Amino acid sequence: MHARFGLDFAGKEEARREVHRRPSSVLEVDEAASVRFDTAGHAFVEGDNLEALRLLVPPYAGRVQAIYIDPPYNTGHDFVYRDRWAQGNAEHLRRSGQVDERGSPLVSNPSSAGRYHSAWLAMMLPRLALGRELLRDDGLLFVSIDDHEVHHLRMLLDEIFGEDCFVAQIVVVGNRGGRDYLRIATGHEYLLVYGATPDAPIRELPNPSASRPHEDAGGAYALRDLRNRNPKFHPGNRPNLFYPVFVAPALADAEGLCPVCVEPRPGYEARVEPRNRTGEGSVWRWGRPKLQAAIAADDVGASAVVARRKRDGSFGIYEKHRKTTTKPRALWDDSSVRSETGTIALRQRLGAAVFDHPKPVELVRRCLQIGTDRDAIVLDFFAGSGTTAEAVIEQNRIDGGTRRFVLVQLDEAIPESAPARAHGHRTIADVTRARVRACLGEQEGVRCFRLAPSDEPRWMPPPVTAPEAVLQALREHEDALRRRSLRTWDRAVRCGMPLHATLRRLDEHGSIALRDEGRGRDLVVSPRVPLSLRDIERWDLREDTEIVCHDHALDDATAVTLAARHRLPRW
């Protein structure tokens, strides 16, 4: 028997099955908590994120460009998600093979701590797998985590995304002084970055410290040495990059910049070869054809490469470097990502530190700079204090973007003694909503939703199989289906309409028309009973609009007429 390398833990198979389980909750609108609901572009869902992710698959699969999450770190006192496979010690011992079905020990030294890792991993697996389904091909996942589970999480993500989709394990220094009550005073956490595909792009970050003291018609620039300073490259292994460049000192401009050429010409009497300080042969960074294409004859201003005299009298060859961005580093150690800045920002928004250890806005905003276009959809299904919402809004204001966020947060109760209680926040979801509202601009809005238990009637076969009993049970089940309520937004989401869809209210009965601009798709959901052809004609719908309503809302003639112009998905 061949052993296979990988991550295994008690409850893993049950966790995998959860990925494909149908949602057992329904989506309810919370207009009272929303801000400018009808025109809002952002969304917040209160409830279990596993259920929410299941509901979000139809509208958002392959559409989310960035996911940022800050899940529970599993430090032993912060684990609140109790999924159906969460287990006590006895159940863990049985599933992990340490005891048999009667509870008799099968190993000599069972580990009581193993269940904590298993329960945490079983909680994370289906959520990460569903999140993976929502990402675009160029999408990125960012996960904040610390030493407690980072090693397990990387193995889990390697399994879900693939090892070739791993991008980086960024070290984020949140506390320069370190936690000196530990044996080694650690003051950092990690940010794991995975791409939906191996080629998911990483965008460069602005480089405010870049000095560009020169300027021409093309804008500001700095002079960057054209000689390759890497000693690995030399004329012996890069002969095509060793060649002379000729300089015309008499044509120098006011800054001492001189035109260059790659062939001898009258007036270009200074010959420059790529050599290091000791005179040994080096190479240029560009080949001769590329350099030739960058030169405008006798014109320093129009050329992308120029020469300038050094202090020793020789000439250096320089590229006009206009780049204002820099590649992201794997160590984030600047003051803007310190943990205390997250607390300060939250206090400024809500008047008090109503959440423990909120993430700095700059940390999440940097993820958005690295991982999103200006029109991206951003998801955070461990929303916590709502840092992601503020980061999205702030980044939009900086670059003029139209990013939309979807946040999900469990309605986890806040202890009575916590400062948040004194400010009217009973749950963490209350804190999230409050921060979102505090961050919104005058024209911005958020649609708030809650998850509620489903009222979908289940078919229960009668205990007896007599035909009359079965028929009666079917009639009762059909009556129950007729009586069930049609929640417009829940049905719209299940039909694939995103929470930010353009909304038009159609009548006083709650009928709504939604348009998904990204996919050019129109949907009407109407709880109206009965629903006549005249009612529908008043709505002035596009011909390809889908209409969802109660089965018994349409008579046969109306249904036939509508089916010729519209799709009528069964509900």
Side-chain angles (χ1 to χ4, degrees):
M1 181 177 180
H2 296 286
R4 186 174 66 87
F5 178 79
L7 178 66
D8 196 18
F9 54 88
K12 184 175 183 179
E13 290 308 312
E14 293 91 330
R16 279 177 170 165
R17 284 193 287 271
E18 289 296 318
V19 177
H20 307 290
R21 194 182 298 274
R22 292 182 59 189
S24 58
S25 300
V26 293
L27 193 70
E28 292 185 342
V29 174
D30 187 355
E31 288 208 39
S34 302
V35 178
R36 288 177 279 276
F37 186 95
D38 286 12
T39 58
H42 306 300
F44 171 70
V45 180
E46 176 185 314
D48 176 24
N49 53 13
L50 181 57
E51 279 288 283
L53 287 166
R54 291 173 179 142
L55 285 167
L56 294 178
V57 168
Y60 288 102
R63 302 184 72 175
V64 173
Q65 194 172 27
I67 296 174
Y68 171 82
I69 56 172
D70 180 23
Y73 284 3
N74 204 24
T75 59
H77 52 76
D78 60 353
F79 191 67
V80 296
Y81 289 83
R82 314 310 303 171
D83 295 323
R84 69 178 71 240
W85 61 85
Q87 57 204 265
N89 191 52
E91 176 65 6
H92 166 74
L93 294 178
R94 183 186 66 78
R95 290 185 178 181
S96 60
Q98 298 182 58
V99 299
D100 62 19
E101 293 296 332
R102 294 174 295 178
S104 300
L106 298 177
V107 294
S108 59
N109 187 25
S111 170
S112 61
R115 67 190 177 104
Y116 296 112
H117 295 296
S118 293
W120 189 86
L121 288 165
M123 181 273 293
M124 292 296 293
L125 188 155
R127 290 164 171 85
L128 291 169
L130 288 167
R132 169 67 184 82
E133 289 187 34
L134 303 183
L135 283 174
R136 294 165 27 167
D137 286 346
D138 65 348
L140 293 170
L141 169 74
F142 301 87
V143 188
S144 287
I145 198 69
D146 72 358
D147 285 316
H148 286 88
E149 295 289 355
V150 65
H151 45 304
H152 295 139
L153 182 57
R154 276 198 60 174
M155 293 185 72
L156 183 61
L157 288 170
D158 283 348
E159 187 173 296
I160 293 171
F161 282 74
E163 290 183 53
D164 55 348
C165 290
F166 171 73
V167 176
Q169 181 169 314
I170 297 171
V171 176
V172 180
V173 181
N175 179 359
R176 255 295 180 88
R179 295 185 288 273
D180 56 11
Y181 54 85
L182 300 174
R183 290 192 295 172
I184 293 180
T186 59
H188 66 277
E189 295 180 349
Y190 306 100
L191 182 69
L192 297 184
V193 186
Y194 277 76
T197 60
D199 299 323
I202 298 293
R203 293 152 187 81
E204 294 200 345
L205 292 169
N207 185 12
S209 63
S211 174
R212 294 180 296 157
H214 307 280
E215 190 167 353
D216 60 13
Y221 65 89
L223 294 178
R224 184 184 181 195
D225 197 345
L226 195 67
R227 185 173 70 84
N228 191 333
R229 295 176 176 273
N230 190 335
K232 290 183 178 179
F233 303 111
H234 50 79
N237 58 19
R238 295 292 189 275
N240 60 312
L241 298 179
F242 182 84
Y243 54 88
V245 174
F246 300 91
V247 181
L251 299 180
D253 67 5
E255 293 185 279
L257 303 180
C258 307
V260 301
C261 65
V262 294
E263 299 292 344
R265 289 179 53 196
Y268 287 76
E269 63 264 19
R271 175 189 172 105
V272 181
E273 293 179 345
R275 295 187 179 277
N276 61 23
R277 289 183 179 181
T278 63
E280 294 178 345
S282 183
V283 294
W284 302 119
R285 290 186 290 109
W286 295 1
R288 193 188 298 258
K290 182 176 180 178
L291 178 56
Q292 179 63 59
I295 295 172
D298 302 336
D299 190 343
V300 169
S303 291
V305 176
V306 296
R308 187 167 68 172
R309 197 180 293 275
K310 300 179 184 179
R311 291 180 181 178
D312 63 3
S314 65
F315 282 93
I317 309 299
Y318 303 97
E319 167 199 1
K320 290 182 178 179
H321 190 65
R322 305 180 192 275
K323 190 175 179 183
T324 60
T325 59
T326 184
K327 188 169 288 190
R329 304 297 187 228
L331 174 64
W332 294 1
D333 189 22
D334 49 288
S335 60
S336 62
V337 298
R338 299 282 184 263
S339 299
E340 63 183 359
T341 66
T343 301
I344 292 170
L346 184 60
R347 185 183 294 118
Q348 289 173 341
R349 289 293 183 188
L350 300 184
V354 295
F355 190 87
D356 292 335
H357 314 300
K359 283 293 182 282
V361 175
E362 177 60 24
L363 186 149
V364 182
R365 194 175 74 81
R366 200 169 296 176
C367 295
L368 301 179
Q369 291 176 298
I370 291 171
T372 66
D373 299 325
R374 293 184 180 185
D375 60 350
I377 296 173
V378 180
L379 172 65
D380 182 349
F381 50 87
F382 287 98
S385 69
T387 299
T388 298
E390 183 163 351
V392 168
I393 292 168
E394 185 173 318
Q395 186 59 32
N396 282 345
R397 290 172 184 165
I398 290 172
D399 64 12
T402 56
R403 297 171 187 82
R404 306 171 188 268
F405 64 72
V406 179
L407 304 188
V408 184
Q409 175 56 46
L410 184 71
D411 53 341
E412 177 188 349
I414 294 174
E416 293 283 352
S417 59
R421 282 286 190 157
H423 287 75
H425 308 303
R426 296 184 306 102
T427 68
I428 292 178
D430 291 339
V431 173
T432 315
R433 270 189 298 267
R435 186 176 193 175
V436 170
R437 287 194 293 267
C439 295
L440 293 171
E442 292 183 1
Q443 303 302 318
E444 296 172 311
V446 61
R447 291 173 179 168
C448 293
F449 303 87
R450 298 178 190 272
L451 296 183
S454 175
D455 61 355
E456 187 81 12
R458 290 188 175 185
W459 164 247
M460 300 294 291
V464 293
T465 57
E468 298 80 3
V470 174
L471 285 173
Q472 181 60 29
L474 285 170
R475 292 190 197 99
E476 292 174 357
H477 182 65
E478 186 175 344
D479 288 342
L481 289 174
R482 285 174 173 269
R483 290 193 303 271
R484 63 181 169 165
S485 58
L486 195 162
R487 294 174 174 85
T488 52
W489 275 94
D490 178 76
R491 187 48 45 187
V493 167
R494 291 171 192 265
C495 288
M497 196 58 62
L499 298 176
H500 63 263
T502 304
L503 168 65
R504 181 163 63 98
R505 299 181 189 268
L506 300 176
D507 58 30
E508 68 279 9
H509 300 280
S511 304
I512 59 173
L514 299 170
R515 179 166 178 79
D516 181 354
E517 299 290 352
R519 291 175 173 167
R521 180 166 169 251
D522 295 278
L523 176 74
V524 164
V525 185
S526 176
R528 188 169 183 170
V529 178
L531 188 57
S532 69
L533 192 60
R534 182 176 297 178
D535 295 328
I536 296 172
E537 287 173 346
R538 289 197 196 101
W539 295 342
D540 190 26
L541 305 178
R542 290 184 173 89
E543 189 165 307
D544 57 349
T545 300
E546 300 170 45
I547 300 175
V548 175
C549 60
H550 286 283
D551 287 344
H552 57 286
L554 305 174
D555 59 37
D556 291 344
T558 301
V560 170
T561 303
L562 284 178
R565 289 178 287 177
H566 304 284
R567 279 193 58 209
L568 302 175
R570 288 190 60 81
W571 172 50

